[in-house]
Amino acid sequence: MPHALEEEVGITEYLSPEVQGFSGNFKERWQDFHVYEVDQGGVELHLSELITPGAVAAELKKNAEERREARSALGASFTFEPDAAAELDAALGQGNAQELQSFLQKQTVAEASSDAGEGAAEAPAFVDFSSAEIDGKEARKKAHAAILKHFGSFLNTETVELPEGARMLRIWMREAERKAKAPTPGSQAQTSGGKGKGKGKAKSKAKGKGGKGKGKDKQQDGQEKVESAFGTLRREGWPKDRPDYLYFRLYKENCNTGEAVSSIARCVGRSVKQFSFAGTKDKRAVTVQAICAHRLPADQLRRTVLHRLWDKRLRISDLEYRGERLRLGQLRGNRFKVVLRNIPPQADTDASAACVPEDGPEHCTLGQAFSAVKGGFLNYFGLQRFGTREVKTHQVGAAIIAGKWEEAVNLILGVYEGKAKRAAQESGGDRPSKLRRTDAGCVDAGQEATHGKVQQSTTDALTIFLETGDAQKALDVMPRSQHLERCLLGARARGLPFAEALRQLPHQAVSLYAHAAQSFIWNSVLSRRIREFGRHPVVGDLVFASPNAEAFDGDTCEISDVMVKDSSNAPDEDADLSEEDVRKLPAVRALQNEEEAAAVTLADVVLPLPGSEVVFPSNLTGVYEELSQRLLGLSISDFSNCSIVQLSGSYRALAVSPKDLTWRAVPSESRSSSSVLQTDVALLLAEREPQQVPQRHHAGDPGQSGEGAEGGENEHHAERGNVLAFDCVLPPSAYLTMLLRELMKSSTSHQ
């Protein structure tokens, strides 16, 4: 289904309506759009290294060789060096040190017999050391440290408690430990997982906020007990001196953030709820952003690039541990690099024309447009904020805020006005802009057929629900990719009331529906404010009381990115990762006189999104109430009284000025290339292989999107017009599509 028309979601005005725009194609190819996150420290995120399967395999091979060398250096008799022997005698006691040597010698004999094909002696699984020589917590700690210091590459240690209460020091071979951890049919390791092909029957009883952590035997330090040939052992716990969160930079091509995180979670065997990010990035683009994972070892993530299911559109780099979780909105902004194609020659963008960025840009249409947009653009919420389905997200949000639970459920399911409407997104549904483009033939035929089947199955399921009311039958037909619909149908099949059915949705999804209603009112008020009071600050406008205050309106995620498929069997290890981030709103003040109004710019003025904690500008309070009543059938007070989701409201800048805005005309000889913008991968490959042109690498490699990839999208063809490239930095939640709308004076509605 198409996006709404701009006027349908309150987008009607321009900041510089007198400046002429121009036509052109945005994202004609996904390679024409790059997004680089700027973190809170002002660092623009890029890949700094190429972690390739070949490099990781070489690292693993080297580590294995070092372990073998460490063992072979001791010889078949495992004779300890004098210094090591003295340290072990002091830490373990002489008797235990001799027993350790005997244990290692038996392991060597057993391995030699196995290599010779003899069914000879079997090595002991472990050895326990007497507490008589290792008595007390500090003594055991010293013993653990001594063993791991000299033999940590191939030995592991554990303190075990015997039935009579005595504590022993247990030692075993790491290789045997890995074999022992393999789950067996019916074992705890197999049944304690999450969502699998068995439809989660074993887990369903633990579903909900109180069910997290069931089915696992965990100690207080987060270490998990596992039954094995060694007896009851611990899986290695998280080191106490290691921060809880692994940060890494994620490079992705032509896939959305949710899809990428889901893929990584599946490969590492973790729940997607253990991952977080500051904001979602566009699908049809090349993007780099920070990802945070709870208690995920860095070496495990590096090894995951060898996984057979690793998505080749993804790259990772800059792995480091930090003490705090990454939360939505924790970024300074995003740098956008954009190519616009098919610009008419009369726009004077040809590199050979008299008007180029370096020579008097004010004398050509394009130069005038860029000069004007440097001064700012109206900070509307873009069309993607309101969804691509026939029922828009703000309509669902209005029903939720009004407490019309049945209507809200039916709207999400696309069931209304006596018909079952197609609720599946169109293939380009999560593109951030609908400026004119020519990519209709870019979808692979197989993908298009699969998408068509999903759409048809979705419609069939909703028709069953409408005509029969049988939620279970509809659920059986509904594609697994339709997460929100399946969640609601499953709740109705279990007999839950409509309000409880909505509560089964991810809290973030319900919040985004309600936030869409807030955004709709905000857009409409902004347009009225511009029409009635002009394009300059006036008395009564609100500004932040502190010049350093920053607004956070939570709009860093879209509804299509909320529910990602979690096909791993990993339990949820950090229940609070999905809780909504609550932030205190900055104080605002009203402009009291003309002098105060003249001292600020339009970009300093903020408008509130309706909620319980915001202050409304005196010159627009009546406008808020009028538009809310007329457009959504709600009173402004209804936003403060929503029972399912708390709406405290927030403040959003009326206008935004892009930073570091530059543009250039693309020479004619470079226009047909798919790499007008060089990716991080291409640049790193060029540094590593200076004699090789990056575009000549295999088309399936990330960053090397050459001819023939993506079903012919990258095939060279003659450009029908001129081409330009520009880049800029925008703050969080500002929409690039709104900058393009101001720049080109072109609607972003789907044409």
Side-chain angles (χ1 to χ4, degrees):
M1 293 298 171
H3 278 288
L5 297 176
E6 288 181 345
E7 54 268 24
E8 292 177 354
V9 291
I11 303 172
T12 61
E13 307 302 314
Y14 292 99
L15 190 57
S16 303
E18 73 283 359
V19 178
Q20 181 181 349
F22 56 92
S23 63
N25 291 350
F26 169 53
K27 285 209 299 186
E28 185 172 285
R29 310 166 185 180
W30 57 262
Q31 297 93 334
D32 287 347
F33 187 37
H34 292 193
V35 185
Y36 300 95
E37 190 168 278
V38 180
D39 68 15
Q40 287 189 307
V43 177
E44 187 176 317
L45 303 186
H46 291 269
L47 286 182
S48 64
E49 61 175 326
L50 295 177
I51 302 177
T52 63
V56 173
E59 290 174 6
L60 295 176
K61 183 178 179 180
K62 180 181 179 181
N63 293 338
E65 290 174 351
E66 290 176 351
R67 288 195 299 269
R68 286 195 295 270
E69 290 173 0
R71 289 186 57 183
S72 62
L74 296 171
S77 63
F78 272 92
T79 303
F80 302 149
E81 294 290 335
D83 291 346
E87 187 174 350
L88 291 169
D89 285 345
L92 306 178
Q94 190 173 9
N96 286 334
Q98 291 175 352
E99 192 170 356
L100 174 62
Q101 185 177 21
S102 175
F103 171 74
L104 294 173
Q105 290 170 346
K106 291 175 182 177
Q107 302 294 327
T108 304
V109 171
E111 290 177 2
S113 300
S114 176
D115 292 341
E118 301 172 4
E122 184 176 343
F126 58 88
V127 60
D128 287 338
F129 290 161
S130 169
S131 59
E133 295 185 84
I134 310 174
D135 189 20
K137 183 176 181 180
E138 289 303 317
R140 289 193 298 271
K141 184 176 180 181
K142 183 178 178 181
H144 285 300
I147 293 173
L148 295 177
K149 174 182 176 181
H150 296 286
F151 313 115
S153 62
F154 55 89
L155 284 185
N156 208 348
T157 66
E158 167 74 302
T159 298
V160 296
E161 188 171 343
L162 300 181
E164 59 271 19
R167 297 197 172 194
M168 306 283 286
L169 191 68
R170 180 165 293 176
I171 293 92
W172 65 92
M173 305 293 288
R174 286 185 181 272
E175 183 62 31
E177 176 189 16
R178 283 191 287 270
K179 295 177 181 177
K181 284 183 178 179
T184 57
S187 69
Q188 182 72 19
Q190 191 181 51
T191 59
S192 65
K195 304 170 185 176
K197 293 185 178 180
K199 296 185 179 180
K201 293 181 180 179
K203 187 182 178 182
S204 61
K205 294 181 180 179
K207 185 77 173 177
K209 295 181 179 180
K212 296 184 183 295
K214 295 187 179 181
K216 297 175 285 186
D217 184 7
K218 283 195 173 183
Q219 303 181 61
Q220 290 183 350
D221 60 359
Q223 294 171 327
E224 187 178 345
K225 293 182 178 179
V226 182
E227 294 293 335
S228 74
F230 298 86
T232 301
L233 299 179
R234 292 185 309 182
R235 292 188 185 272
E236 291 182 37
W238 192 256
K240 293 182 179 180
D241 59 347
R242 178 189 293 173
D244 280 344
Y245 298 95
L246 175 68
Y247 279 64
F248 60 95
R249 295 179 186 179
L250 172 65
Y251 169 102
K252 62 181 182 67
E253 292 183 349
N254 203 26
C255 66
N256 61 41
T257 302
E259 182 183 358
V261 170
S262 178
S263 174
I264 293 174
R266 179 170 58 249
C267 289
V268 297
R270 302 295 181 94
S271 167
V272 293
K273 292 183 180 180
Q274 290 179 249
F275 294 80
S276 63
F277 39 82
T280 58
K281 298 294 182 281
D282 303 83
K283 175 179 179 178
R284 284 180 50 82
V286 175
T287 72
V288 180
Q289 67 184 113
I291 303 292
C292 170
H294 181 248
R295 292 194 172 185
L296 176 64
D299 59 344
Q300 181 182 354
L301 180 59
R302 286 181 68 91
R303 291 196 305 270
T304 305
V305 302
L306 296 171
H307 197 287
R308 64 182 180 86
L309 296 179
W310 180 263
D311 193 329
K312 291 182 173 58
R313 297 174 297 175
L314 311 180
R315 297 268 191 170
I316 56 173
S317 76
D318 298 84
L319 284 63
E320 63 173 322
Y321 296 106
R322 299 183 190 175
E324 298 293 330
R325 175 196 170 208
L326 180 63
R327 298 180 181 274
L328 282 175
Q330 290 185 331
L331 72 165
R332 183 74 61 84
N334 294 286
R335 177 171 293 279
F336 295 95
K337 297 186 177 183
V338 181
V339 175
L340 298 177
R341 297 180 183 268
N342 196 28
I343 299 172
Q346 59 267 29
D348 293 329
T349 60
D350 195 347
S352 62
C355 178
V356 293
E358 293 78 11
D359 297 322
E362 68 278 3
H363 299 300
C364 69
T365 300
L366 186 61
Q368 291 172 353
F370 273 104
S371 294
V373 85
K374 279 185 179 181
F377 59 94
L378 296 179
N379 195 22
Y380 286 115
F381 288 93
L383 294 182
Q384 66 269 37
R385 185 70 186 86
F386 305 98
T388 58
R389 303 187 177 190
E390 192 156 346
V391 177
K392 303 308 174 191
T393 54
H394 64 282
Q395 296 172 311
V396 179
I400 290 174
I401 294 169
K404 299 177 180 178
W405 317 128
E406 182 175 0
E407 179 181 337
V409 169
N410 287 337
L411 287 172
I412 294 172
L413 293 175
V415 178
Y416 62 101
E417 296 179 357
K419 296 182 180 180
K421 299 291 186 181
R422 288 183 184 270
Q425 294 183 15
E426 62 174 303
S427 58
D430 47 9
R431 297 174 187 164
S433 174
K434 296 300 173 187
L435 295 175
R436 184 162 53 89
R437 58 167 68 86
T438 57
D439 55 2
C442 299
V443 181
D444 179 81
Q447 293 178 336
E448 188 172 7
T450 300
H451 177 71
K453 291 179 181 179
V454 170
Q455 280 191 319
Q456 186 58 51
S457 296
T458 301
T459 302
D460 292 344
L462 297 179
T463 301
I464 291 172
F465 182 62
L466 172 67
E467 294 179 351
T468 69
D470 192 327
Q472 185 60 54
K473 285 185 178 179
L475 180 63
D476 292 340
V477 176
M478 182 68 69
R480 291 189 176 275
S481 60
Q482 303 301 99
H483 306 287
L484 300 181
E485 289 84 350
R486 288 185 60 83
C487 188
L488 290 176
L489 289 172
R492 293 297 296 155
R494 298 194 302 274
L496 296 181
F498 287 102
E500 286 302 311
L502 286 170
R503 289 189 173 94
Q504 303 309 301
L505 295 174
H507 183 70
Q508 189 183 36
V510 181
S511 296
L512 283 173
Y513 283 126
H515 292 165
Q518 292 175 303
S519 303
F520 177 47
I521 295 301
W522 193 94
N523 277 1
S524 302
V525 171
L526 172 58
S527 293
R528 179 76 71 86
R529 159 66 179 76
I530 295 298
R531 288 195 298 270
E532 293 189 0
F533 297 99
R535 293 166 172 80
H536 56 275
V538 298
V539 174
D541 281 341
L542 299 179
V543 296
F544 287 127
S546 170
N548 298 322
E550 293 183 356
F552 172 68
D553 54 34
D555 189 43
T556 53
C557 185
E558 304 298 342
I559 194 70
S560 60
D561 290 302
V562 171
M563 185 68 103
V564 290
K565 186 176 181 180
D566 182 6
S567 58
S568 71
N569 286 329
D572 297 336
E573 297 184 11
D574 194 18
D576 69 342
L577 291 185
S578 60
E579 294 180 1
E580 186 177 23
D581 188 22
V582 179
R583 306 187 184 193
K584 185 177 180 180
L585 294 181
V588 295
R589 64 179 178 87
L591 299 178
Q592 300 295 327
N593 50 55
E594 295 295 339
E595 289 75 16
E596 289 187 1
V600 298
T601 68
L602 199 62
D604 297 319
V605 177
V606 296
L607 289 176
L609 281 81
S612 59
E613 303 297 324
V614 298
V615 175
F616 293 95
S618 58
N619 56 348
L620 292 173
T621 301
V623 173
Y624 271 93
E625 184 67 35
E626 175 207 332
L627 293 176
S628 182
Q629 291 276 8
R630 179 164 58 86
L631 299 177
L632 295 179
L634 298 172
S635 170
I636 283 297
S637 62
D638 291 334
F639 288 88
S640 304
N641 300 321
C642 182
S643 60
I644 283 188
V645 58
Q646 179 182 354
L647 297 176
S648 58
S650 58
Y651 296 103
R652 182 177 175 89
L654 188 151
V656 169
S657 296
K659 295 181 179 179
D660 304 331
L661 176 62
T662 61
W663 65 278
R664 62 184 174 88
V666 178
S668 56
E669 61 269 18
S670 302
R671 292 173 184 172
S672 61
S673 171
S674 62
S675 56
V676 172
L677 304 175
Q678 287 290 296
T679 67
D680 286 355
V681 173
L683 293 172
L684 289 170
L685 285 173
E687 292 176 5
R688 193 170 66 178
E689 306 168 22
Q691 301 303 319
Q692 189 168 5
V693 180
Q695 292 92 319
R696 296 176 61 185
H697 284 264
H698 191 277
D701 292 340
Q704 307 305 326
S705 43
E707 192 172 353
E710 187 86 8
E713 179 174 0
N714 302 311
E715 292 179 1
H716 299 332
H717 56 83
E719 293 290 340
R720 296 178 299 279
N722 294 315
V723 179
L724 69 86
F726 76 89
D727 68 270
C728 66
V729 175
L730 295 180
S733 80
Y735 285 75
L736 179 72
T737 51
M738 294 297 100
L739 181 150
L740 289 170
R741 175 180 180 271
E742 183 75 35
L743 175 71
M744 304 172 72
K745 298 301 187 292
S746 175
S747 172
T748 58
S749 302
H750 186 45
Q751 298 180 2

